[in-house]
């Protein structure tokens, strides 16, 4: 029997007829910069990567997980007049990329509130008036959508206490994404607002406990529950995403932990924060160390797993920076940034090791800061959320 020549398997006619879902599975493994360039190759590939029609073919969970583990990104924002630029760090390739947001309308004071699944949730002012608008955008597909006002017509936006914001993206077709805002309008408004992209509307859910005066850090989602740490007195409260009601979560935080941050790492709840052995409630904390705790759910106790080495603490952080740290996690890696983004430290939960991330050269003038560090920045699976941005 004659063997078929090997080059026949690369027949152009065969590969040109590859089903869209298989093509997406191939494209999903490419580095993000290559994906951006591939949109210019031909109309078919541009359609695969950005056209609404192709977005109804979800990629398998296994492929999605492979992408998310290979290409996590960190994000920082540089304001350049009315057209900001985002600098993203590819953890696996150890390099910085620059992506423009010039496709957005002309806005003032743009800030990134939250991110997830390749989408950015932004707040901005229009012109020189005090009107604040909220919008979502997809930098990969260069699409954006202004969200309906979260407040009623006669209810102005008041930036009061530190609110809790979370963004949940679903991999199920038609589910889109949800944005959760708790305590957005100051101490007088403890309602929880939830935006559902499937309906294009905000709905009011359960209110925060009356004793909550703000949140110490950003929320974290674990097992379909949103967790947040309140300002003093420190407490963890949680809300079930489907139930919408808030409740206190046990156990209480370690006594000497100050300025705590919650992250999810390898499915576990992890807390980072300052450590002040002499601190008592009612006094200003003076942390002398940066520690990492892991929640042992079998015992419902916090276990200290690591401390930032003293030499790294003295070299990279100051005593006054603990209340402005930002944290994010991807897999076993936990990222800690100071306020201006000049230092990003990485803790590996499995290896129990600390390193410093390569500094972004474009931020040498310190005119910008890391607004938010997000995991899984340019997931092609979630880039398909353009369907949601383009609808409604």
């Amino acid at each position: 029997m004659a063997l078929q020549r090997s080059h026949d398997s690369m027949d152009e006619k065969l590969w040109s007829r590859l089903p869209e879902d298989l093509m997406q599975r191939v494209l999903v493994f490419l580095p993000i910069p290559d994906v951006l360039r591939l949109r210019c190759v031909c109309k078919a590939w541009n359609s695969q990567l950005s056209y609404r029609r192709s977005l109804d073919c979800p990629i398998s969970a296994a492929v999605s997980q492979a992408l998310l583990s290979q290409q996590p990104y960190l994000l920082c924002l540089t304001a350049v007049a009315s057209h900001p630029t985002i600098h993203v760090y590819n953890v696996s390739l150890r390099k910085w990329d620059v992506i423009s947001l010039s496709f957005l309308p002309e806005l003032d004071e743009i800030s990134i509130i939250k991110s997830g699944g390749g989408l950015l949730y932004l707040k901005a002012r229009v012109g020189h008036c005090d009107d604040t608008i909220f919008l979502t955008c997809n930098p990969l597909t260069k699409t954006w959508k202004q969200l309906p006002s979260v407040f009623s017509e006669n209810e102005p936006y008041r930036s009061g206490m530190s609110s809790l914001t979370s963004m949940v993206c679903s991999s199920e077709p038609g589910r889109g994404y949800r944005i959760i805002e708790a305590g957005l309008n100051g101490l007088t408004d403890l309602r929880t607002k939830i935006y559902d992209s499937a309906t294009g509307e905000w709905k009011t859910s359960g209110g925060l406990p009356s004793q909550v005066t703000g949140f110490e850090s950003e929320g974290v989602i674990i097992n379909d529950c949103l967790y947040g740490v309140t300002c003093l007195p420190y407490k963890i409260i949680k809300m079930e995403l489907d139930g919408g009601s808030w409740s206190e979560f046990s156990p209480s935080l370690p006594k000497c932990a100050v300025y705590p941050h919650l992250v999810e790492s390898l499915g576990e709840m992890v807390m980072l924060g300052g450590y002040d052995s002499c601190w008592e409630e009612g006094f200003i904390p003076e942390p002398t160390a940066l520690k990492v705790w892991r929640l042992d759910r079998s015992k419902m106790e916090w276990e200290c797993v690591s401390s930032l080495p003293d030499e790294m603490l003295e070299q990279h952080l100051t005593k006054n920076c603990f209340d402005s740290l930002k944290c994010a996690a991807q897999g076993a890696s936990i990222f800690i940034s100071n306020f201006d983004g000049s230092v990003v430290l990485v803790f590996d939960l499995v290896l129990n090791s600390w390193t410093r991330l390569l500094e972004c050269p474009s931020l040498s003038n310190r005119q910008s800061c890391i607004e938010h560090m997000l995991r899984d920045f340019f997931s092609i699976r979630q880039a398909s959320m353009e369907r949601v941005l383009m609808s409604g």
Side-chain angles (χ1 to χ4, degrees):
M1 180 178 65
L3 295 177
Q4 187 178 24
R5 289 181 296 178
S6 59
H7 69 266
D8 289 347
S9 62
M10 299 301 294
D11 179 37
E12 293 181 0
K13 294 182 179 180
L14 172 64
W15 288 96
S16 65
R17 296 193 298 269
L18 199 65
E20 287 187 358
D21 58 336
L22 293 182
M23 180 65 76
Q24 285 189 6
R25 284 166 169 78
V26 173
L27 295 176
V28 79
F29 286 101
L30 296 177
I32 297 304
D34 291 343
V35 172
L36 294 173
R37 288 191 290 268
L38 285 177
R39 291 187 62 184
C40 303
V41 171
C42 62
K43 292 182 179 180
W45 284 18
N46 181 63
S47 173
Q48 282 280 345
L49 293 171
S50 62
Y51 189 51
R52 185 192 309 181
R53 172 176 57 86
S54 67
L55 305 178
D56 297 322
C57 305
I59 295 173
S60 68
V63 174
S64 299
Q65 284 303 113
L67 173 69
L68 300 184
S69 62
Q70 290 175 13
Q71 300 196 75
Y73 270 78
L74 302 180
L75 168 74
C76 58
L77 174 70
T78 303
V80 181
S82 57
H83 297 302
T85 300
I86 52 177
H87 296 256
V88 289
Y89 182 79
N90 188 316
V91 178
S92 58
L93 298 180
R94 297 182 180 181
K95 60 174 292 188
W96 287 91
D97 295 320
V98 181
I99 298 176
S100 173
L101 296 183
S102 59
F103 62 89
L104 292 175
E106 189 167 334
L107 300 168
D108 295 326
E109 298 183 11
I110 299 175
S111 60
I112 297 176
I113 304 176
K114 200 67 177 177
S115 56
L119 300 179
L120 302 180
Y121 176 40
L122 309 173
K123 178 179 72 174
R125 286 198 309 110
V126 181
H128 298 289
C129 59
D130 293 330
D131 291 341
T132 300
I133 66 170
F134 298 87
L135 59 153
T136 50
C137 76
N138 188 325
L140 180 63
T141 57
K142 300 186 183 302
T143 54
W144 64 276
K145 177 180 180 180
Q146 181 177 341
L147 303 185
S149 176
V150 65
F151 309 113
S152 61
E153 184 175 351
N154 298 322
E155 185 182 11
Y157 170 68
R158 302 183 300 272
S159 181
M161 71 177 189
S162 53
S163 61
L164 185 71
T165 304
S166 187
M167 193 171 188
V168 187
C169 295
S170 174
S171 59
E172 299 179 19
R175 288 295 301 273
Y177 61 91
R178 286 178 289 173
I179 298 172
I180 302 155
E181 291 276 16
L184 179 63
N185 216 21
L187 291 171
T188 59
D189 188 355
L190 298 178
R191 293 174 297 175
T192 302
K193 300 276 191 172
I194 301 177
Y195 174 78
D196 191 336
S197 65
T199 62
E201 298 177 347
W202 291 92
K203 71 174 184 179
T204 301
S205 187
L208 293 167
S210 58
Q211 67 271 23
V212 174
T213 59
F215 290 92
E216 189 65 31
S217 59
E218 297 178 353
V220 60
I221 295 177
I222 304 175
N223 297 329
D224 295 325
C225 286
L226 172 62
Y227 297 86
V229 181
T230 67
C231 293
L232 290 171
Y234 298 135
K235 290 183 179 179
I236 299 179
I237 61 174
K238 72 171 185 177
M239 183 190 78
E240 296 183 4
L241 296 181
D242 293 330
S245 59
W246 290 93
S247 61
E248 188 171 340
F249 178 72
S250 296
S252 57
L253 274 64
K255 181 180 178 181
C256 300
V258 295
Y259 306 123
H261 294 260
L262 296 179
V263 296
E264 178 271 325
S265 178
L266 301 177
E268 296 185 298
M269 182 181 294
V270 178
M271 181 176 64
L272 298 90
Y275 179 83
D276 184 353
S277 59
C278 301
W279 177 71
E280 294 183 8
E281 192 171 316
F283 293 87
I284 298 177
E286 296 182 358
T288 57
L290 177 66
K291 290 184 177 290
V292 180
W293 292 269
R294 180 185 66 87
L295 179 63
D296 186 341
R297 286 190 175 269
S298 62
K299 301 178 181 178
M300 290 304 289
E301 296 178 352
W302 290 100
E303 171 192 8
C304 182
V305 294
S306 184
S307 297
L308 179 67
D310 292 340
E311 58 272 18
M312 294 187 69
L313 179 65
E314 295 176 2
Q315 182 179 0
H316 301 306
L317 299 179
T318 64
K319 293 183 179 180
N320 299 325
C321 76
F322 284 87
D323 62 342
S324 58
L325 294 179
K326 296 179 181 292
C327 302
Q330 164 63 34
S333 299
I334 300 173
F335 306 93
I336 307 100
S337 167
N338 64 349
F339 176 74
D340 67 357
S342 58
V343 175
V344 179
L345 303 177
V346 186
F347 172 69
D348 192 300
L349 187 62
V350 174
L351 301 178
N352 195 17
S353 62
W354 292 86
T355 55
R356 180 182 174 180
L357 206 65
L358 177 67
E359 187 174 351
C360 178
S362 303
L363 298 181
S364 57
N365 294 329
R366 298 296 150 224
Q367 296 175 350
S368 311
C369 65
I370 289 186
E371 292 285 345
H372 181 62
M373 294 191 298
L374 73 154
R375 86 181 212 191
D376 316 333
F377 180 50
F378 276 140
S379 162
I380 298 302
R381 170 178 64 86
Q382 295 292 4
S384 68
M385 301 305 293
E386 181 188 9
R387 171 184 69 246
V388 191
L389 296 179
M390 298 290 288
S391 63

